[in-house]
Amino acid sequence: MQSLQQLLDFDRLHIWHPYASMPNLLPVFPVDSAQGVYIRLMDGQSLIDGISSWWTCIHGYNHPRLNQAAHAQIERMSHIMFGGLTHRPAVELAEKLIALTPEALQQVFFCDSGSVAVEVAMKMAVQYWHNCGLPQKQRFLTIRNGYHGDTFAAMSACDPVNGMHHLFRNILPQQYFAEAPQISFDQDWQDQDIAGFEALLAENHDQIAAAIFEPVVQNAGGMRFYHPEYVRKAKALSEKYNVLLILDEIATGFGRTGKMFACEHATVCPDILCVGKALTGGFMSLAATLTTHKISEGFAAGEAGVFMHGPTFMANPLACAVSLENLRLLESYDWQSTVRAIESQLKDELEPCRSLAAVKDVRVLGAIGVVELQAPVNMRVIQSRFVEEGVWLRPFGRLIYTMPPYIIQPSELKAITSAIHKIAAQI
Ligand code: PMP
């Protein structure tokens, strides 16, 4: 049996971590187990989780209902191929997703991760126009500061600077980028904010298959909250210029912004919707791309006769069974009030950060609290400081933010906001 130090040494030299170098230059903290909102490190320390394992774990870790659903499904089969076969977990989960999402979304494509859900959405849009006899529509319109995943098509729609597009310039598809929306969630709307988006559509709609962006909250591209009217106007403009609208709700879906889906702030139904992350309550990886009859109906008569995508682990029964239970769990309590209570506590307790010298802005929407700093954080220092304070957060760039599990108690959330204030005050 390896000692803790041997384990860490091996990890540092041999295992890639997300957005890390090799050998890894930043500390990683070894986890023994996790329960509720607590992450237990191998040295015995407990951390309160403030980011829900990258926004997935809305009901905390080791939830008995999710565990039970997984156990029951494992006894039947944990996996079976989806080509030529189907199963109850996939059908029941698809029914649930169709019921929860805007009404016109009626068809579900299951896949393994958020990035792949975005790839599927983009491919679906291109193939749709091919089916319609407009094969030249193969490019995408998006907005700066977006993030859609790390695979090539998804990356091509990420912010060109944050996404390091110059590194991959000869292989990345070239997309159209409108300026990021400037009017924040509760400021007064002005049509000027979407003028750049419209100008790009007006000029290039013949080439554009779809507009793709994250509705209302831009997450990994800057934790920005923008006006829902932007989404409404973008939908109308997409229709006017004959392009599809893809909304990426991988981060915002399942209640995080205070609505089940962020597109509900704008009462907009996209042509294609991507979901992932909290879909399984953070239990395991699963994502889905939903679309309408209008989009799907032409595929059989198109050149390929089918939609050209079919991953090996598509609709993995174990992931579907856990997801279904997670969504039933979400529906079993008044999550809207829970998220509102988190929102109001975050507003009260993060607001004092605004007066700190190092802080540029403080913003809260739903169960998302953001403290934007004047300068980028030093990850090596700040990550360890939060661990010393007993909380788990993962700041990036100029952002310290929290997206806690919905089951967090007020005293636990207070520990997170206090740590944020304390550490921001020391910068
Ligand atoms: N879209 C959005 C909005 C995301 O936030 C993410 C992940 N942070 C992705 C897509 C990619 O998801 P995954 O990491 O599961 O591939």
Side-chain angles (χ1 to χ4, degrees), residues 10 17 24 47 57 86 97 100 111 133 152 160 188 208 238 241 259 286 288 293 298 306 370 374 399 408-409 427:
F10 190 91
H17 281 259
N24 196 359
L47 306 177
C57 223
T86 194
L97 284 172
L100 289 178
C111 53
F152 277 102
D188 291 336
I208 296 177
S238 306
Y241 288 103
K259 303 277 187 192
L286 183 71
H293 278 300
V306 294
V370 183
Q374 308 279 4
L399 302 163
I408 198 160
Q409 295 301 306
I427 292 172

Side-chain angles (χ1 to χ4, degrees), residues 365-376:
L365 180 68
I368 312 174
V370 183
V371 174
E372 182 175 341
L373 304 174
Q374 308 279 4

Side-chain angles (χ1 to χ4, degrees), residues 55 113-116 118 147-150 214 219-220 248 250-251 277 285:
W55 334 330
S113 70
S115 302
V116 176
V118 170
Y147 178 83
H148 300 283
D150 290 346
E214 299 152 274
N219 296 273
D248 177 348
I250 288 160
K277 288 200 184 268
S285 186

Side-chain angles (χ1 to χ4, degrees), residues 201-270:
L201 265 184
E203 198 171 331
N204 305 294
H205 61 94
D206 286 352
Q207 309 297 317
I208 296 177
I212 174 170
F213 54 87
E214 299 152 274
V216 178
V217 180
Q218 295 188 295
N219 296 273
M223 293 290 162
R224 304 173 79 249
F225 308 150
Y226 67 91
H227 204 291
E229 188 61 23
Y230 193 100
V231 184
R232 227 179 337 258
K233 286 271 177 333
K235 167 76 179 172
L237 289 169
S238 306
E239 281 171 3
K240 175 173 169 192
Y241 288 103
N242 209 26
V243 308
L244 303 185
L245 178 64
I246 301 171
L247 292 182
D248 177 348
E249 295 241 19
I250 288 160
T252 50
F254 308 108
R256 181 57 71 180
T257 68
K259 303 277 187 192
M260 183 59 91
F261 294 97
C263 60
E264 294 171 27
H265 289 286
T267 47
V268 158
C269 176

Side-chain angles (χ1 to χ4, degrees), residues 374-394:
Q374 308 279 4
V377 296
N378 177 336
M379 272 305 273
R380 171 179 293 283
V381 175
I382 202 164
Q383 183 82 84
S384 302
R385 279 292 294 116
F386 277 114
V387 169
E388 279 165 27
E389 295 296 328
V391 306
W392 181 246
L393 293 172
R394 185 89 178 144

Side-chain angles (χ1 to χ4, degrees), residues 4-277:
L4 183 52
Q5 195 51 53
Q6 285 171 324
L7 187 142
L8 285 173
D9 288 344
F10 190 91
D11 183 291
R12 191 172 59 81
L13 293 174
H14 297 284
I15 308 180
W16 291 99
H17 281 259
Y19 286 92
S21 55
M22 184 86 331
N24 196 359
L25 300 175
L26 291 174
V28 294
F29 299 86
V31 178
D32 176 65
S33 56
Q35 172 71 46
V37 298
Y38 290 92
I39 299 172
R40 191 176 159 81
L41 299 183
M42 285 176 76
D43 66 5
Q45 190 188 0
S46 267
L47 306 177
I48 300 174
D49 180 12
I51 59 159
S52 312
S53 277
W54 274 333
W55 334 330
T56 62
C57 223
I58 54 177
H59 297 120
Y61 303 95
N62 214 7
H63 196 288
R65 277 184 58 178
L66 303 192
N67 286 356
Q68 169 53 32
H71 283 299
Q73 187 56 43
I74 286 169
E75 295 298 324
R76 290 175 172 274
M77 61 184 166
S78 62
H79 183 61
I80 195 82
M81 65 186 281
F82 212 50
L85 299 172
T86 194
H87 45 79
R88 187 179 285 278
V91 174
E92 291 186 353
L93 178 59
E95 273 177 355
K96 180 66 75 194
L97 284 172
I98 288 168
L100 289 178
T101 52
E103 202 179 331
L105 298 167
Q106 292 289 321
Q107 263 97 26
V108 183
F109 190 103
F110 287 116
C111 53
D112 321 336
S113 70
S115 302
V116 176
V118 170
E119 296 283 326
V120 165
M122 294 173 81
K123 202 192 251 191
M124 204 178 262
V126 168
Q127 219 185 309
Y128 166 77
W129 289 115
H130 207 281
N131 298 338
C132 296
L134 292 170
Q136 74 282 9
K137 284 168 87 71
Q138 301 221 351
R139 294 177 71 185
F140 292 83
L141 169 61
T142 186
I143 52 186
R144 287 179 189 267
N145 282 99
Y147 178 83
H148 300 283
D150 290 346
T151 51
F152 277 102
M155 190 168 50
S156 74
C158 293
D159 184 86
V161 179
N162 298 341
M164 293 263 157
H165 281 204
H166 66 278
L167 272 181
F168 307 103
R169 65 181 173 277
N170 289 333
I171 188 169
L172 267 192
Q174 298 298 302
Q175 314 300 10
Y176 297 103
F177 288 90
E179 285 310 314
Q182 296 302 311
I183 299 177
S184 69
F185 186 81
D186 38 23
Q187 282 177 327
D188 291 336
W189 171 254
Q190 288 169 24
D191 283 345
Q192 184 55 27
D193 211 28
I194 199 162
F197 184 95
E198 175 160 23
L200 285 169
L201 265 184
E203 198 171 331
N204 305 294
H205 61 94
D206 286 352
Q207 309 297 317
I208 296 177
I212 174 170
F213 54 87
E214 299 152 274
V216 178
V217 180
Q218 295 188 295
N219 296 273
M223 293 290 162
R224 304 173 79 249
F225 308 150
Y226 67 91
H227 204 291
E229 188 61 23
Y230 193 100
V231 184
R232 227 179 337 258
K233 286 271 177 333
K235 167 76 179 172
L237 289 169
S238 306
E239 281 171 3
K240 175 173 169 192
Y241 288 103
N242 209 26
V243 308
L244 303 185
L245 178 64
I246 301 171
L247 292 182
D248 177 348
E249 295 241 19
I250 288 160
T252 50
F254 308 108
R256 181 57 71 180
T257 68
K259 303 277 187 192
M260 183 59 91
F261 294 97
C263 60
E264 294 171 27
H265 289 286
T267 47
V268 158
C269 176
D271 298 292
I272 302 177
L273 176 76
C274 301
V275 297
K277 288 200 184 268

